[in-house]
Each structure stands twice: as structure tokens, then as C-alpha cells.
């Protein structure tokens, strides 16, 4: 079993379907950081549980009276990744491919509206009450491809697909889900084999 740190940029958006109309927000750039364990399962495969801090959200347009501007919605989440990965040997290194489940909890959130020369910020609340802005949990699936180097460094391209409706109350037919791409750079700490 090995231990690794990871970090990298995130490009996130949100998919919504309201009153039968589907749309996605513009991508916003954020970051992720965390760690994982690599637990061998069989030859060429591993179970990789991990914990990540990740920023999600989206960008969109907003109007106030005759003025238009930009609305950025920012979320900070703590994710638990439960991935299974497989390795394909390549010149002493490894191609990797895998995926798994990702439950997560929100830490904080805010919306920032830039209209004209004014900026307004609003803190967001999470829970299951009608007074809350967004759902208190998120759940999705993670798919990844990447490359591991023999010196312990690795990189992965991940895609997160959220399944948990983020609207609280309202018409149950109205949907809102998180989506994001992330590029992770990581390093496995060296370890000594038992003699």
C-alpha cells in the first residue's frame, strides 16, 4: 500500500433542466488538492480511496435593470473518492485507467455578481430545508486516464459526473447537477520493502 499527494486545476460547470429546458453554465477555473492510498487488489489493479478538497461551480450571465453582467457561483467541497484503477505497462512506466464513486459534502459557497461597476457577494447555504440554497450532499461518478512514472510521479485527467439533484424543494422535475474536469498531478511517497 502506498500513499500519495495530489493537486491540480479544475474546470467546473453545472447542468440544469428547468421547465423542460436544458442548459449548462460556462466553465469556471478552480483547484483541487488531497491525498490517496493505493491498495493493490490484483496484478495490474488497485483500489484507490482518497480525500480531496475541490472547488466546483459555474459562470453565467445576470441582468439588473438595463445592465448586464457576470454571475459566478463558487462551491468548496470535501470529496471522498473510491476509485478502482488498472495499469498497462509501458517502457518501465504505466498507463492507468479507472473510475469509481464520489460522495462529497459542501464546506462553503458564495455567488458573486459583477454588474456595471458594482460587485455583490452572497453566502450560500446547504441542507434539506426549503430555506437552503442548495442540497447538503453531492454524489457522482469519477472517470480517469493517466500515466505513472517509475520515480513515483503521476498525472491523471478526471471527469466528474454528478447524479445528486442540487435544487432544494421546488418541482422535482427540475434538475441541477455538478460537472467538472480536473487535471491532477501526484507523487507517491517512497517506501522500503520488508526484507
Amino acid at each position: 500500500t502506498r500513499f500519495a499527494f495530489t493537486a491540480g486545476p479544475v474546470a467546473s460547470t453545472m447542468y440544469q433542466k428547468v421547465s423542460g429546458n436544458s442548459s449548462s453554465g460556462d466553465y469556471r477555473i478552480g483547484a483541487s488538492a488531497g491525498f490517496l492510498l493505493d491498495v493493490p487488489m490484483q496484478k495490474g489493479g488497485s483500489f484507490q480511496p482518497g480525500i480531496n478538497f475541490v472547488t466546483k461551480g459555474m459562470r453565467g450571465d445576470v441582468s439588473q435593470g438595463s445592465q448586464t453582467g457576470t454571475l459566478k457561483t463558487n462551491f468548496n467541497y470535501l470529496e471522498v473518492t473510491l476509485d478502482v484503477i488498472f495499469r498497462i505497462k509501458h517502457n518501465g512506466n504505466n498507463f492507468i485507467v479507472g473510475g469509481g464513486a464520489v460522495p462529497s459534502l459542501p464546506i462553503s459557497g458564495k455567488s458573486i455578481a459583477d454588474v456595471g461597476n458594482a460587485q455583490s457577494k452572497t453566502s450560500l447555504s446547504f441542507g434539506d430545508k426549503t430555506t437552503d440554497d442548495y442540497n447538503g450532499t453531492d454524489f457522482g461518478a469519477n472517470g480517469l486516464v493517466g500515466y505513472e512514472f517509475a520515480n513515483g510521479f503521476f498525472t491523471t485527467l478526471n471527469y466528474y459526473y454528478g447524479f445528486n439533484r442540487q435544487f432544494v424543494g421546488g418541482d422535482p422535475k427540475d434538475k441541477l447537477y455538478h460537472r467538472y474536469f480536473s487535471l491532477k498531478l501526484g507523487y507517491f511517497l517512497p517506501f522500503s520493502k520488508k526484507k
Side-chain angles (χ1 to χ4, degrees):
T1 299
R2 297 182 295 169
F3 180 87
F5 293 101
T6 64
V10 175
S12 63
T13 186
M14 298 184 81
Y15 166 82
Q16 64 180 358
K17 185 175 183 180
V18 178
S19 300
N21 298 316
S22 301
S23 64
S24 294
D26 294 331
Y27 281 92
R28 64 172 297 276
I29 302 302
S32 72
F35 62 88
L36 61 84
L37 296 177
D38 183 78
V39 183
M41 295 190 312
Q42 58 184 9
K43 186 176 181 180
S46 291
F47 174 52
Q48 289 189 343
I51 296 178
N52 291 301
F53 169 84
V54 61
T55 58
K56 305 179 187 180
M58 66 177 177
R59 295 169 57 94
D61 298 326
V62 65
S63 60
Q64 294 180 0
S66 60
Q67 293 184 315
T68 60
T70 301
L71 177 66
K72 293 183 289 185
T73 308
N74 303 329
F75 305 95
N76 297 317
Y77 274 84
L78 189 65
E79 290 185 340
V80 177
T81 55
L82 303 169
D83 290 329
V84 174
I85 66 103
F86 297 93
R87 296 177 173 88
I88 303 170
K89 294 185 181 298
H90 179 256
N91 296 332
N93 304 314
N94 296 303
F95 286 108
I96 56 176
V97 61
V102 186
S104 58
L105 293 173
I107 300 172
S108 62
K110 63 182 176 181
S111 62
I112 304 172
D114 289 294
V115 180
N117 296 321
Q119 183 182 83
S120 61
K121 298 181 180 181
T122 304
S123 295
L124 303 174
S125 62
F126 302 87
D128 56 5
K129 299 178 181 178
T130 56
T131 53
D132 291 317
D133 296 307
Y134 295 95
N135 200 323
T137 59
D138 192 24
F139 181 82
N142 175 54
L144 65 92
V145 294
Y147 198 77
E148 290 181 343
F149 298 92
N151 60 7
F153 286 95
F154 63 94
T155 182
T156 61
L157 177 63
N158 303 258
Y159 180 67
Y160 174 86
Y161 188 96
F163 296 117
N164 206 26
R165 179 177 182 265
Q166 293 304 297
F167 284 136
V168 180
D171 189 340
K173 293 182 180 179
D174 292 342
K175 309 295 183 182
L176 182 67
Y177 303 107
H178 286 292
R179 305 279 193 267
Y180 70 76
F181 289 95
S182 67
L183 179 65
K184 293 184 180 180
L185 304 176
Y187 178 69
F188 284 110
L189 298 181
F191 67 99
S192 299
K193 295 183 179 180
K194 293 182 179 180
K195 296 182 179 179

